[in-house]
Amino acid sequence: RNLGASKDVVARAMSQVLGQPVSAATEKTFWELGGTSLMAMALDGALQAATGGVARIGIAKMMQDGSVDGMAK
């Protein structure tokens, strides 16, 4: 199911929330890169803003597969 966010959009949002560069090609998860539950809520908001409200990831999806690729699917 496409959540409306490309890998590049997800990587940019992760970079913004985590305060560090994140490549669209990284296989590390949001959590492995230092993400917290509060940051996950911020990431969901950043993705919604970047996609005009189309992309909603949610913490459950991030826990399932918090990689750039996983969240872009």
Side-chain angles (χ1 to χ4, degrees):
R1 166 176 154 231
N2 189 327
L3 298 173
S6 70
K7 286 182 175 185
D8 288 332
V9 170
V10 172
R12 278 195 301 273
M14 284 176 66
S15 294
Q16 175 186 347
V17 170
L18 293 169
Q20 63 180 313
V22 176
S23 165
T26 189
E27 293 182 13
K28 290 191 176 189
T29 68
F30 175 74
W31 312 106
E32 291 171 325
L33 293 169
T36 65
S37 58
L38 289 175
M39 288 177 165
M41 291 174 21
L43 177 58
D44 190 42
L47 287 168
Q48 287 181 56
T51 62
V54 173
R56 289 203 64 132
I57 301 298
I59 292 183
K61 173 69 175 169
M62 287 183 217
M63 294 294 275
Q64 230 177 16
D65 187 353
S67 67
V68 171
D69 187 51
M71 287 190 273
K73 290 182 180 174

